[in-house]
Amino acid sequence: MAGKWAHFPAVVASRQRQFSSTPITCSDSDKSNGGHISDISGYTDQLNSEAEYPLILKVMQATLESVHDGPMACPWWGVIAGSAFALRTLLILPVHIYQQRAQARARKLAGISKLWYRPMRASLELELATRTPPVTDKEFGQLLSKRLSRRHHLLMFRQGCHPIFSVLLPLTQIPIWMSMTFCLRHLSGRLIPWLDSATAALPAAAPGMTSEGILWFTNLVATDSTGMLPAITGLVYFANALVQLYRRREYALANSPDGAISKTSWLSHIVPYLGFVAPPVITYVAMSQPSAIVLYWLASSSFTLAQKLVFHNQKLRKLLKFNYIKDKAI
């Protein structure tokens, strides 16, 4: 094992480009090429510069370059798409499964909590029987509701299914998505928002990024002049929002006693439709981004769409202990 990985430090040390805040001067030929440095000498000059970027960005870049320059010699389009699938499979998918199972446990515990009402009401009545002055019905209802809520939240915490755990998925997904976007932007020879100065010179694009694309977008550094890649990405985001809305309505109908969606707050009716804001925004932003970034967004959202369609299968949801629609409700 030691012999197999003995060359790894040398491979990492030989990376010809690291995150650096030191600007690189563009030649006239580079400026005519959209400001992207194609000369490999400019790429190597950044090796010894002191990095000021977050560790996660440097680790991601080193990993991507290792896969690209490794024995498999994977082209950049394959590295980008493969990284999207790998990150979602290894990091985001387990959190999604945990969250779905937690929601199923919370649904079961809701029925258990209803059984506490009568004994806790009788206990509270006995406790307040000798109180002077006696409590009003309104005060009694507030005390009972508070005790039931406290005990229910404690049970949810102990079972690991409290609603606060619903933020685990976005807390995992958003940093990974942002980090990969910033990493690919740096590899494409672009400045990183909030991390680079607006007056800093453009960094060098990674070797091969201008020619190792696929289909009509072979140059991953440039934007897609046809607009097809951003449009396809927006359509996949729209499909994700549509599937999510359909699933919400389907489960709401199945869980309603009278077969109709119950009346809830206006906010609960608006939230499912917020997902339809993302497609036009993503499409508009993608029009000005390097094709490498848009390809990552497309691969990541495609994985999410496939995941939603697969997990919609009721037999699989039952096997994984998710919330599912019983046969009689379908």
Side-chain angles (χ1 to χ4, degrees):
M1 181 62 71
K4 179 180 180 181
W5 294 101
H7 70 287
F8 186 74
V11 173
V12 176
S14 65
R15 290 289 161 250
Q16 301 303 313
R17 180 176 183 271
Q18 298 292 335
F19 279 104
S20 171
S21 60
T22 303
I24 296 177
T25 304
C26 297
S27 63
D28 293 337
S29 60
D30 294 327
K31 292 179 180 179
S32 64
N33 189 28
H36 303 293
I37 301 175
S38 56
D39 186 6
I40 189 66
S41 62
Y43 188 79
T44 58
D45 288 341
Q46 300 180 69
L47 177 61
N48 297 322
S49 299
E50 182 180 358
E52 297 179 358
Y53 289 88
L55 178 62
I56 185 174
L57 296 185
K58 294 185 285 185
V59 171
M60 281 185 171
Q61 178 175 315
T63 304
L64 294 178
E65 290 182 333
S66 298
V67 176
H68 175 262
D69 300 334
M72 296 181 61
C74 186
W76 274 116
W77 72 265
V79 174
I80 295 170
S83 64
F85 297 149
L87 287 172
R88 286 206 160 263
T89 301
L90 299 177
L91 299 180
I92 300 177
L93 182 59
V95 178
H96 174 77
I97 293 175
Y98 172 82
Q99 185 169 296
Q100 289 291 320
R101 298 183 70 173
Q103 291 177 358
R105 291 196 301 271
R107 182 180 176 184
K108 293 180 179 179
L109 292 178
I112 296 176
S113 299
K114 293 179 181 180
L115 301 176
W116 296 340
Y117 180 79
R118 288 187 177 181
M120 291 191 69
R121 180 184 177 88
S123 176
L124 186 60
E125 288 177 347
L126 183 61
E127 180 182 340
L128 300 177
T130 58
R131 181 172 176 177
T132 305
V135 297
T136 63
D137 292 341
K138 182 178 180 180
E139 292 174 339
F140 180 84
Q142 291 175 348
L143 287 173
L144 180 60
S145 177
K146 186 180 296 185
R147 291 194 178 186
L148 285 169
S149 178
R150 187 186 303 116
R151 186 171 180 180
H152 177 70
H153 282 282
L154 181 60
L155 178 63
M156 300 274 278
F157 265 117
R158 289 177 176 176
Q159 296 297 324
C161 56
H162 193 273
I164 196 175
F165 292 114
S166 62
V167 301
L168 288 178
L169 187 60
L171 285 180
T172 304
Q173 186 171 341
I174 293 177
I176 293 176
W177 188 88
M178 292 289 292
S179 298
M180 275 297 298
T181 298
F182 286 168
C183 181
L184 291 173
R185 187 173 177 84
H186 194 264
L187 286 170
S188 301
R190 303 290 184 92
L191 299 178
I192 301 178
W194 305 299
L195 298 179
D196 286 323
S197 172
T199 58
L202 294 175
M209 288 289 286
T210 58
S211 59
E212 295 182 9
I214 191 175
L215 300 176
W216 68 91
F217 51 98
T218 55
N219 187 352
L220 295 174
V221 171
T223 59
D224 184 13
S225 58
T226 65
M228 292 179 60
L229 188 60
I232 295 173
T233 304
L235 288 175
V236 175
Y237 270 82
F238 178 80
N240 272 297
L242 197 62
V243 171
Q244 184 68 18
L245 177 63
Y246 171 77
R247 191 173 66 176
R248 282 176 176 269
R249 293 181 62 87
E250 184 179 21
Y251 282 96
L253 287 170
N255 297 327
S256 179
D258 56 357
I261 298 178
S262 59
K263 295 182 179 180
T264 54
S265 64
W266 61 271
L267 184 61
S268 63
H269 290 288
I270 294 178
V271 168
Y273 293 93
L274 293 179
F276 291 96
V277 178
V281 173
I282 285 292
T283 303
Y284 176 77
V285 174
M287 296 292 290
S288 60
Q289 298 298 317
S291 297
I293 294 178
V294 185
L295 176 61
Y296 171 74
W297 292 352
L298 176 60
S300 180
S301 58
S302 298
F303 185 95
T304 303
L305 179 60
Q307 173 184 295
K308 289 180 179 179
L309 295 176
V310 170
F311 284 157
H312 188 70
N313 183 277
Q314 301 305 316
K315 293 182 179 179
L316 180 61
R317 294 183 70 85
K318 184 177 181 180
L319 179 65
L320 295 175
K321 299 181 180 180
F322 292 176
N323 283 326
Y324 66 96
I325 301 176
K326 297 180 181 179
D327 295 339
K328 64 179 182 181
I330 297 178

